[in-house]
Amino acid sequence: MSKIINPHRALIYVMVTMSGVDGFIGDKELKRIGRIVKHLPVFRSFHTEELTKVAQECGEILQQEEGGLEAVLGLVKDALPQEIKDTAYALACEVAAADLLVGREELRFLALLRNALSLDKLTIAAIERGVIARYKSYPVSPQDS
C-alpha cells in the first residue's frame, strides 16, 4: 500500500484498531478515544472534527479481505517518529483497558503492535504497569460509602 498518513492519523488508527480488534467497537472505547483526542497534548494540533472521518478510513482498511490489519500496522509504523511510538502503544493499552476486560484478540494486537513499533521490553512493561495501576479498583465496603 503506497498511502502515507500523518502521525495523528496513525495514533487514531492504533486506537480504532484496538477498539475493533475483537469484532465490536463499544461505547466505552469510542468515548475513551474521543476524550484522548480532545485532551492529550499529542493531539493539540489535530482538528477533532476529523476524528470520525479518520476512524472510518481506518475501518475501511481493516475490512479489506486480505491484509487489512497488516496494512494498518505498516501505515502506523511508517508514519510514527521514534519519539512517539511508545505513545502509540500507551494509547492502545488505554483503549484496551477502557471496558476493563482485555481479551485474547486485544492481547494479540498489542503483541503485533509492539513488534511493529520495535519497542523494548522495559518500555512495554512500564506502559502496561501504568495502565494496570490506573484501572485498578478498590473494593468499597458499606461503611466507606
Side-chain angles (χ1 to χ4, degrees):
M1 176 175 273
S2 62
K3 183 178 180 179
I4 296 175
I5 60 173
N6 66 35
H8 287 137
R9 275 184 152 64
L11 293 172
I12 293 167
Y13 279 25
V14 165
M15 292 187 290
V16 169
T17 303
M18 175 53 75
S19 179
V21 78
D22 60 359
F24 176 75
I25 299 178
D27 286 340
K28 285 183 180 182
E29 292 166 325
L30 289 174
K31 287 177 183 177
R32 170 79 53 198
I33 292 170
R35 280 194 303 271
I36 287 169
V37 171
K38 285 180 184 173
H39 298 292
L40 284 187
V42 74
F43 290 105
R44 194 168 285 141
S45 63
F46 179 74
H47 301 289
T48 56
E49 61 275 358
E50 290 184 45
L51 178 57
T52 302
K53 178 183 159 206
V54 175
Q56 288 172 340
E57 279 175 15
C58 179
E60 289 170 10
I61 296 168
L62 288 169
Q63 289 178 355
Q64 292 174 3
E65 293 247 348
E66 287 190 32
L69 180 59
E70 292 79 17
V72 167
L73 287 170
L75 289 167
V76 166
K77 178 183 174 185
D78 292 344
L80 291 176
Q82 191 61 42
E83 310 73 72
I84 62 170
K85 287 185 177 184
D86 57 348
T87 302
Y89 190 72
L91 294 177
C93 289
E94 285 289 328
V95 172
D99 60 3
L100 302 178
L101 180 66
V102 180
R104 190 175 324 158
E105 297 88 1
E106 291 165 316
L107 292 172
R108 180 177 169 266
F109 176 68
L110 286 172
L112 292 170
L113 181 62
R114 62 182 172 249
N115 289 336
L117 299 178
S118 301
L119 295 174
D120 65 89
K121 289 180 182 184
L122 187 56
T123 299
I124 293 163
I127 290 168
E128 291 174 354
R129 186 66 191 120
V131 171
I132 290 167
R134 276 192 302 286
Y135 285 90
K136 192 177 284 184
S137 64
Y138 184 74
V140 177
S141 66
Q143 58 191 335
D144 291 339
S145 300

